[in-house]
Amino acid sequence: LSDPIIFLVCLVITTCLLFLTVYFVIMLSDLECDYLNSKACCERLNRFVRPEIAAHCVISIVLLLSWHYILFLFIAAPFSAFLIYRLVKLPKDAIGMYDPAEIRNRGNLFRATRETFIKLGYNLCMFFIYLYFTLYSMIASNT
């Protein structure tokens, strides 16, 4: 595949991840303000944890297979590895990444909100990086 198509695929996936992260921010802020109960919020968030990790892994694999090693090694792979590590590190009896019984204990809500804002910043930066590389590769392929 050509570089514009590869970066366009990464851009579309990152756009979806960006919207998903905004959804996470909204759900966590609703939980913090008591508009949602813990069980409903955690069910909604846990539903999208594995697809989010899968999308990050797809971006990493696409960059690896398209010979974009710098983007793969320094940007996409470490974040995907961190998300996979967090999923594997969960206790066996855990309901999911967001546990309704534990979300309000010991600052877990603050930690989850902080982590979601970090994901939002990461996805926003990656959106503009992939947008730049998409436009650059389209212009370079036309000349």
Side-chain angles (χ1 to χ4, degrees), residues 89-109:
K89 190 180 81 165
L90 287 175
K92 296 294 181 196
D93 60 344
I95 294 173
M97 188 83 71
Y98 302 95
D99 190 2
E102 295 290 326
I103 192 76
R104 293 192 183 265
N105 296 345
R106 297 184 312 259
N108 286 341
L109 183 59

Side-chain angles (χ1 to χ4, degrees), residues 114-128:
R114 186 185 66 215
E115 180 182 300
T116 303
F117 276 113
I118 291 170
K119 286 180 188 178
L120 182 66
Y122 172 81
N123 287 327
L124 194 61
C125 289
M126 294 312 300
F127 174 80
F128 287 112

